Amino acid sequence: MSKLVTIYGGSGFVGRYIARRMAQQGWRVRVATRDPNEALFVKPYGAVGQVEPVFCNIRDDASVAAVMDGADAVVNCVGILAESGRNTFQSIQAEGAARVARLAAENGVARLVQISAIGADADADSEYAQTKAAGEAAVLAAFPSAIILRPSIIFGSEDEFFNRFAGMTRFGPILPVVGADTKFQPVWVDDVAQAAVKAVVGDVASGTYELGGPVVATFRELMETMLTIVHRRRLVLNIPFGIAKLIATFGGIGQALSLGIVKAPITSDQVKNLRVDNVVSEGAQGFEALGIVPTNMEAVLPDYLWRFRPSGQYDAIKDSAKNLKHS
């Protein structure tokens, strides 16, 4: 365990999978997080003392530099889907990424991996997409040999996509979505982690890689797949973008007036994002260039969505009993 990697956002959805895989590779892993006490679950990923959560504020130079000290490699997984207080798209996804890359170069770090997103575009309407692109540009300016990974929407047992909509199926016959015809290419979180590990250990060339799973599907088709898995019948109702924008506006006002107690169901920036397909660009480097065969979502979703079935884990037993009765 002579090698050390610092993973910014290492206790988050993607970061924890990278941390586990890096520990399995025999590396010491420093998990940089806003709340180390909430990240103690990462410690059993390795031997005693191999994986350690440490405090870090990605908005502060001294904090970022302190947890980078002695690191052979750095992975930046920090990103947000909605702004909150001082955690803005600009401060986290643009300035934060730039800070990590600049300090990594100054400290002689050998490898830098930046987790970005498909759709990163300086000319996009969405500030999320704009700041992802700004972060990429800043990373490459400070650390030209960096490896940038751009995943499509990520699924896994802790995801905020399938879990969220599967939970909504419990409350009524209608499942509302915005951008039902927008296309996605869902990618399994552990496949993204595997790509990040290959980048850290030097198994792949520098550059930008777009990561999408084997299936391209519309938002509506993804919801229909989810409904099949959770054994529920719901009407997938498309909310027009104009109405969604109004909902986001009033939801934002409600959230502000309640001081964040009431969360907006969707933000204006998310509505802008949902207008654009989230799939691997034609000709882009992807999993094939990394030597990874991506996992089909239908092989993974039942492993964690079963709890949203009408009878949870007992649904399979009930189905089996029905088959016996009919036979």
Side-chain angles (χ1 to χ4, degrees):
M1 292 191 290
S2 60
K3 296 279 191 177
L4 169 65
V5 60
T6 296
I7 306 176
Y8 293 92
S11 63
F13 175 36
V14 178
R16 67 185 67 186
Y17 284 82
I18 299 174
R20 181 188 290 115
R21 278 188 170 269
M22 290 306 306
Q24 291 170 350
Q25 290 283 325
W27 285 53
R28 289 182 295 129
V29 183
R30 190 177 286 158
V31 172
T33 176
R34 287 177 298 174
D35 192 344
N37 290 328
E38 294 293 325
L40 295 177
F41 63 86
V42 303
K43 292 173 74 71
Y45 289 173
V48 175
Q50 185 182 358
V51 183
E52 287 294 334
V54 293
F55 171 76
C56 178
N57 178 359
I58 201 170
R59 302 193 312 270
D60 180 74
D61 271 32
S63 183
V64 171
V67 299
M68 192 184 291
D69 185 44
D72 299 282
V74 165
V75 182
N76 181 25
C77 303
V78 181
I80 56 175
L81 294 174
E83 297 179 316
S84 177
R86 288 181 291 178
N87 291 325
T88 64
F89 290 130
Q90 180 65 27
S91 68
I92 299 298
Q93 298 185 164
E95 295 171 8
R99 181 173 293 110
V100 170
R102 172 173 53 82
L103 293 172
E106 291 175 1
N107 284 274
V109 172
R111 284 263 169 175
L112 170 63
V113 181
Q114 170 73 16
I115 307 297
S116 184
I118 283 180
D121 182 359
D123 297 322
D125 290 334
S126 159
E127 191 176 355
Y128 171 88
Q130 292 172 16
T131 52
K132 281 291 188 182
E136 290 184 7
V139 166
L140 292 175
F143 206 110
S145 63
I147 294 174
I148 294 175
L149 302 179
R150 292 178 169 181
S152 181
I153 193 162
I154 304 174
F155 66 89
S157 58
E158 304 89 355
D159 72 46
E160 295 182 10
F161 183 69
F162 285 110
N163 278 307
R164 177 184 181 184
F165 286 99
M168 289 169 61
T169 64
R170 293 169 166 170
F171 303 111
I174 296 174
L175 184 63
V177 301
V178 178
D181 295 323
T182 301
K183 294 178 181 178
F184 294 90
Q185 198 167 349
V187 57
W188 187 33
V189 62
D190 201 42
D191 288 340
V192 177
Q194 187 180 351
V197 171
K198 278 179 170 282
V200 169
V201 301
D203 285 350
V204 297
S206 299
T208 299
Y209 298 83
E210 297 197 354
L211 308 180
V215 174
V216 174
T218 65
F219 200 162
R220 183 188 302 278
E221 290 168 341
L222 292 178
M223 292 300 95
E224 289 171 348
T225 296
M226 178 272 294
L227 287 168
T228 299
I229 290 170
V230 300
H231 299 172
R232 294 182 187 271
R233 298 177 66 181
R234 298 290 183 267
L235 173 64
V236 180
L237 178 65
N238 181 51
I239 299 177
F241 288 114
I243 295 176
K245 186 176 180 180
L246 288 174
I247 293 172
T249 300
F250 287 110
I253 294 172
Q255 181 171 315
L257 292 175
S258 68
L259 301 178
I261 295 175
V262 177
K263 298 294 183 182
I266 192 169
T267 68
S268 296
D269 201 74
Q270 288 168 347
V271 173
K272 293 176 182 177
N273 249 329
L274 286 166
R275 289 179 177 272
V276 183
D277 289 342
N278 197 266
V279 299
V280 173
S281 305
E282 186 176 350
Q285 295 186 107
F287 278 122
E288 186 175 357
L290 296 170
I292 298 171
V293 178
T295 305
N296 193 304
M297 62 180 178
E298 294 189 46
V300 177
L301 293 181
D303 289 344
Y304 66 95
L305 293 183
W306 57 263
R307 62 187 184 277
F308 297 104
R309 294 170 179 168
S311 300
Q313 62 185 322
Y314 301 108
D315 249 32
I317 297 174
K318 291 172 66 177
D319 287 344
S320 179
K322 289 178 182 177
N323 291 334
L324 286 173
K325 184 177 181 180
H326 290 315
S327 62

